[in-house]
Amino acid sequence: NRTQLRRGPLLRPTFAFINAIFYLLYVTIATLTLHLCGGPGGPTYTDFRRFVYFLLGCGHIGLVFGLLFYGLGLSCQLQRRNSASKGALGPPTRKVLVLVVLLSFTESVRTYNDLEYSLGGLPYNLGSGLCSVLFLAFVKLLLEWVPSMTILWAFRPIAQTSGVSSATLGGGHFLVDPLVPPGESVGKQVDAFLPL
């Protein structure tokens, strides 16, 4: 079946290894800043915060390159599969491209922010006062909410009415996988979840 996903045998161990490396670096940074910066009375928190934001910035750089590499590769594969049947960019390819561009952009903004906090010396809260806190809360919410809503939008099930008689199927509403071209999917009938 062309729509079946292929398993990457080393994918989970690779992610677990990278995750363990980041946690190990985090603990190492915490331990070194506590011991090397003069104990609890020294500038430990400031140094720790700068190192951790640098670590986060490096992680976001890795995410951006991974998203671009694998996302654009996936969209090229989807385009090749769709070009034989339609000749143009199909909805799955457009959805993947929108996700790749949007997620790469938001991760780039996060990378810029984290590196500004660590290397640029920008204070984390941009100053004191309620306006700074509200602005930061809005930006952080936007950087989390927009990608999450886009992912939910791209992978939502699409309700379609089947061409089969409604007497046979009791209404004929089907959920269709959004990443599979229309001619290749086999829908699952669901009547209970669709609004009337």
Side-chain angles (χ1 to χ4, degrees), residues 18-32 48 51-52 55 58:
I18 291 171
N19 202 10
I21 291 293
F22 270 92
Y23 277 111
L24 181 65
L25 285 172
Y26 184 84
V27 169
T28 303
I29 290 170
T31 305
L32 286 175
F48 173 73
F51 285 130
V52 167
L55 180 65
C58 292

Side-chain angles (χ1 to χ4, degrees), residues 33-35 37-47:
T33 54
L34 183 63
H35 289 293
C37 292
T44 306
Y45 176 72
T46 305
D47 294 331

Side-chain angles (χ1 to χ4, degrees), residues 1-6 78 80-85 181 184:
N1 189 359
R2 284 181 9 176
T3 61
Q4 207 168 23
L5 294 175
R6 286 180 270 166
L78 286 172
R80 272 187 263 140
R81 288 182 181 179
N82 287 340
S83 66
S85 61
E184 298 181 20

Side-chain angles (χ1 to χ4, degrees), residues 34-130:
L34 183 63
H35 289 293
L36 296 178
C37 292
T44 306
Y45 176 72
T46 305
D47 294 331
F48 173 73
R49 184 173 53 100
R50 290 182 70 188
F51 285 130
V52 167
Y53 274 115
F54 181 74
L55 180 65
L56 282 172
C58 292
H60 287 302
I61 288 172
L63 282 173
V64 168
F65 285 121
L67 280 169
L68 287 173
F69 180 74
Y70 288 108
L72 294 176
L74 176 62
S75 65
C76 287
Q77 286 181 356
L78 286 172
Q79 184 179 2
R80 272 187 263 140
R81 288 182 181 179
N82 287 340
S83 66
S85 61
K86 297 178 188 173
L89 288 178
T93 308
R94 276 184 253 140
K95 288 179 181 181
V96 169
L97 281 175
V98 166
L99 284 175
V100 167
V101 169
L102 183 70
L103 292 175
S104 297
F105 175 75
T106 57
E107 289 301 319
S108 298
V109 170
R110 289 180 184 170
T111 301
Y112 177 77
N113 287 340
D114 291 340
L115 293 179
E116 274 292 311
Y117 295 146
S118 65
L119 300 176
L122 186 69
Y124 173 69
N125 59 0
L126 300 177
S128 60
L130 184 62

